[in-house]
Structures are given as structure tokens and as C-alpha cells.
């Protein structure tokens, strides 16, 4: 069972995927969309991790030999809806073989860049190390087991 706060977020935020059916993969601790198969025979889908504050969407493809990472989107939850705060894409000639560590580090860097921008807008000064640590903790929070 999903904890109550997380259930609220999932109910409000996951309508972004309302046309898709989601399943939970407990072994990978990730929500997966049903996806589709391209004319080339590759399967495309999203893998989603979430916490009370952050949602990380991996746009993935499954080819004949590899799972590949096409992009990452980060959404924050403002209590009412999910808001896109960062995105990065690979693809075409620059596709990436999916690697959990790489995807996590990219998510951390994306969140760090977003936080730095927000701090700059507010005229606040926080050390680079503190921002990186905070971004890492937020991304790692999405990777913790959410289901009992």
C-alpha cells in the first residue's frame, strides 16, 4: 500500500499520464507505463519514480539488445499539480544505453541546476556543495521503496 501523502500526490500528479495504464515493478521500485511498439520493433515507455516533492520520469526504449534512455523529465509537486522543472533528451545518434547510476546522476545535476536558478532569482547564496547535497537527497528519496 502506498503511504497516504504519496497516494495524494500520485492521484493528483499522475493524471499527466491519464491516458496510460501504470503498473508497479517492485523489483525495480518504479511505476511503468504500458508504452508502445514502433515500426522498427522497439518498445517505448516511461519509468516513473516519485516522492512527496519530486517525480522523475525516464523516457525509455527497449531495443533488441539494450534498454536505452531517451530522456529525463523532473516534475515538482506544488500541492495541486505536477510542474515540469527540468528536462533533458538524448536520442538519434546520441542515444544512451540505460544505466541506473547515470540516470540518477543526470537527475541530480538537472535538479541542482534548477535549484541554483531559483536561488539566483531570489538573490540567495547557498554553497554549491549544499545545493548538490540537497538535490541528491531529493532524487534519492524518489528511489526509496514506496510500497509496503
Amino acid at each position: 500500500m502506498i503511504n497516504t501523502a504519496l497516494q495524494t500526490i500520485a492521484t493528483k500528479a499522475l493524471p499527466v499520464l491519464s491516458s496510460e495504464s501504470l503498473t508497479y515493478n517492485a523489483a525495480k521500485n518504479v511505476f511503468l507505463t504500458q508504452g508502445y511498439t514502433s515500426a522498427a520493433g522497439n518498445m517505448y515507455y516511461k519509468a516513473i519514480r516519485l516522492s512527496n516533492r519530486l517525480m522523475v520520469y525516464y523516457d525509455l526504449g527497449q531495443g533488441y539488445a539494450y534498454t536505452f534512455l531517451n530522456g529525463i523529465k523532473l516534475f515538482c509537486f506544488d500541492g495541486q499539480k505536477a510542474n515540469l522543472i527540468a528536462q533533458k533528451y538524448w536520442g538519434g545518434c546520441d542515444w544512451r544505453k540505460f544505466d541506473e547510476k547515470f540516470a540518477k546522476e543526470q537527475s541530480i545535476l538537472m535538479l541542482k541546476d534548477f535549484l541554483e536558478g531559483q536561488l539566483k532569482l531570489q538573490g540567495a547564496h547557498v554553497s554549491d556543495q549544499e545545493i548538490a547535497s540537497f538535490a541528491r537527497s531529493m532524487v534519492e528519496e524518489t528511489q526509496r521503496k514506496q510500497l509496503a
Side-chain angles (χ1 to χ4, degrees), residues 28-102:
K28 300 275 185 185
N29 187 38
V30 67
F31 289 94
L32 300 170
T33 63
Q34 186 174 10
Y36 67 93
T37 303
S38 71
N42 295 328
M43 173 68 125
Y44 294 93
Y45 58 98
K46 291 177 180 55
I48 305 161
R49 291 203 166 109
L50 58 127
S51 70
N52 292 343
R53 299 181 289 176
L54 183 68
M55 287 165 276
V56 179
Y57 285 46
Y58 297 144
D59 289 313
L60 301 174
Q62 180 66 51
Y64 69 93
Y66 302 109
T67 299
F68 45 95
L69 179 64
N70 289 324
I72 299 172
K73 293 180 187 172
L74 302 181
F75 292 85
C76 69
F77 184 69
D78 69 6
Q80 299 299 317
K81 63 180 180 165
N83 296 298
L84 180 66
I85 60 170
Q87 60 186 343
K88 185 170 185 176
Y89 289 100
W90 298 269
C93 297
D94 192 32
W95 66 275
R96 302 289 308 211
K97 182 176 172 184
F98 182 75
D99 174 84
E100 190 74 52
K101 183 178 178 183
F102 174 81

Side-chain angles (χ1 to χ4, degrees), residues 85-86 108-135:
I85 60 170
I108 291 166
L109 290 172
M110 292 165 61
L111 182 56
K112 181 180 174 284
D113 288 346
F114 171 77
L115 294 170
E116 286 172 341
Q118 294 300 302
L119 289 165
K120 187 174 183 177
L121 285 172
Q122 295 176 20
H125 300 284
V126 177
S127 77
D128 196 51
Q129 184 177 357
E130 286 178 284
I131 298 168
S133 177
F134 183 74

